[in-house]
Amino acid sequence: MKTRRIVLVLLALTAGQALAAPTYPCYHPTVTPVIDGEVAGDPAWQSLPAVTGFSVLGDGYSYTKQTLARLCWTVEGLYIGVLCEEPDAKLLKPKVLDGGDTWAEDGIEIFLQPAGRPEVYQFAVTAGGARGGFEGNPDTTKMRAAAKIGEDTYSLEALIPFDVVRGRAAEGVKWTGNLCRNIFTTRSGGDKFTSWAPLKARFLEPENFAAIVFHDSSLSTAEVEKVTEQLNSPYRRTLLKQVSQAAKAFSEYRQGLELAAQDAEYAGRAAALLSDWRRLEEMSRQANRASILDMRAALVKLEALNRDSYEVKYDYLIHKLLEEN
């Protein structure tokens, strides 16, 4: 089927890519985050650079269920805020409690290796806000965490005190670490194991972790936008390729949808589909200005857009054929 073929083409654009380990500049927030699981609505997180483009173990960027994360620090410790795309959010039924098998439910695993320490410390926070730990045997009772499940996302926050990982933060100090996601609710699809820093076979690969560089300052709004763009530029390039490839499929539907839009019975559906296709075309043309979130939203809708366009086009053509006979 045409729809399936287009999705497979987009997946092929990311498969096998050699992705580099990222570096995250970790600043002070302008306002200290409130650990309540609310990331999108907390102004503290908006004052910090965001990273996205999580990848599949041993492969390229994950096509579905992407993840967006921010980090910051205060004298209390390291703060982590994560927003997870989850179209199956209503199916999430977290059951694990603090100290349980947190890695066996939908959630995030946090790996940290402070400068000068041989140990790697592993933490986990589930979509239900349960805390856990394993590698390095960290005292997770000192960790604060919360999560919130929304309509098509869930978010979580964590505060890890520096003494729990025997680390310190100061201007220019560099740690290594990673954020990894477990996806067990897969009705709409999704890669089960994804990570911020690209990994080969498992989450515990310190040699492939990202760098976390501490800065003893905060950023202005303009600086946040600039740093966010720099952090995500490799992922942006991949998304633009996918958008460009997707936009080419419009030629198959354009004429049929434009004709259907002039028919009272099909006008509403056809006009809405034309609007979505033209938005994709505009994103492809405006490569330097297209928002990563807008491109992600458009690509997530792509399979449904192709399916619905196919149905409206051929329903309309059959309707006209029968009408003429």
Side-chain angles (χ1 to χ4, degrees), residues 90-153:
K90 293 180 180 178
L91 301 178
L92 294 172
K93 305 294 181 185
K95 296 179 180 178
V96 174
L97 302 177
D98 286 348
D101 294 341
T102 48
W103 55 85
E105 274 194 349
D106 292 85
I108 295 293
E109 294 187 38
I110 303 161
F111 293 83
L112 298 171
Q113 187 174 31
R117 303 297 308 178
E119 304 94 343
V120 172
Y121 295 91
Q122 177 185 10
F123 303 84
V125 183
T126 71
R131 301 167 299 171
F134 184 66
E135 192 71 24
N137 195 31
D139 183 357
T140 57
T141 64
K142 294 183 178 180
M143 170 190 184
R144 291 170 55 199
K148 182 176 181 179
I149 299 174
E151 286 294 315
D152 53 11
T153 63

Side-chain angles (χ1 to χ4, degrees), residues 17-35:
Q17 291 176 332
L19 306 178
T23 295
Y24 186 86
C26 190
Y27 289 91
H28 293 308
T30 55
V31 181
T32 302
V34 177
I35 305 298

Side-chain angles (χ1 to χ4, degrees), residues 1 5-6 10 34 37 54 72 74-75 83 108-109 126 159 178 192 221 231 243 246 254 267 285 288 296 302:
M1 184 179 178
R5 185 174 69 80
I6 291 171
L10 297 188
V34 177
F54 276 42
C72 64
T74 69
V75 292
L83 182 66
I108 295 293
E109 294 187 38
T126 71
L159 166 58
N178 208 357
K192 287 188 68 174
T221 300
L231 289 172
V243 166
R254 185 191 301 271
R285 285 194 294 266
N288 294 327
R296 280 289 308 152
L302 181 61

Side-chain angles (χ1 to χ4, degrees), residues 112-288:
L112 298 171
Q113 187 174 31
R117 303 297 308 178
E119 304 94 343
V120 172
Y121 295 91
Q122 177 185 10
F123 303 84
V125 183
T126 71
R131 301 167 299 171
F134 184 66
E135 192 71 24
N137 195 31
D139 183 357
T140 57
T141 64
K142 294 183 178 180
M143 170 190 184
R144 291 170 55 199
K148 182 176 181 179
I149 299 174
E151 286 294 315
D152 53 11
T153 63
Y154 72 86
S155 56
L156 56 85
E157 296 171 293
L159 166 58
I160 300 172
F162 291 128
D163 65 337
V164 172
V165 293
R166 302 178 188 177
R168 73 177 188 91
E171 178 65 36
V173 170
K174 182 171 77 173
W175 293 15
T176 58
N178 208 357
L179 301 174
C180 303
R181 182 174 172 188
N182 295 311
I183 300 174
F184 293 107
T185 305
T186 56
R187 176 179 291 182
S188 66
D191 301 296
K192 287 188 68 174
F193 307 112
T194 64
S195 63
W196 165 40
L199 302 172
K200 294 180 179 178
R202 58 178 187 152
F203 285 168
L204 187 59
E205 289 181 1
E207 67 276 16
N208 294 316
F209 282 177
I212 302 170
V213 180
F214 292 94
H215 295 278
D216 196 12
S217 59
S218 300
L219 294 174
S220 68
T221 300
E223 289 170 332
V224 168
E225 292 177 359
K226 182 178 180 180
V227 174
T228 295
E229 184 63 32
Q230 291 170 343
L231 289 172
N232 295 297
S233 59
Y235 184 50
R236 165 186 278 279
R237 288 193 293 271
T238 296
L239 286 179
L240 283 170
K241 289 179 183 177
Q242 293 177 334
V243 166
S244 176
Q245 185 68 35
K248 292 176 182 177
F250 186 21
S251 61
E252 181 181 345
Y253 305 115
R254 185 191 301 271
Q255 185 177 17
L257 290 177
E258 288 176 346
L259 289 171
Q262 299 173 38
D263 186 289
E265 184 177 345
Y266 294 89
R269 293 170 64 196
L273 293 168
L274 283 168
S275 177
D276 286 342
W277 281 116
R278 286 166 180 158
R279 190 175 300 115
L280 265 175
E281 280 192 320
E282 185 64 18
M283 286 180 190
S284 183
R285 285 194 294 266
Q286 301 291 333
N288 294 327

Side-chain angles (χ1 to χ4, degrees), residues 58-86:
D59 210 335
Y61 293 116
S62 178
Y63 179 65
T64 59
K65 297 192 176 183
Q66 263 298 339
T67 308
L68 184 145
R70 296 178 173 92
L71 287 76
C72 64
W73 69 286
T74 69
V75 292
E76 290 188 89
L78 180 68
Y79 288 79
I80 297 128
V82 182
L83 182 66
C84 301
E85 288 181 0
E86 185 46 86

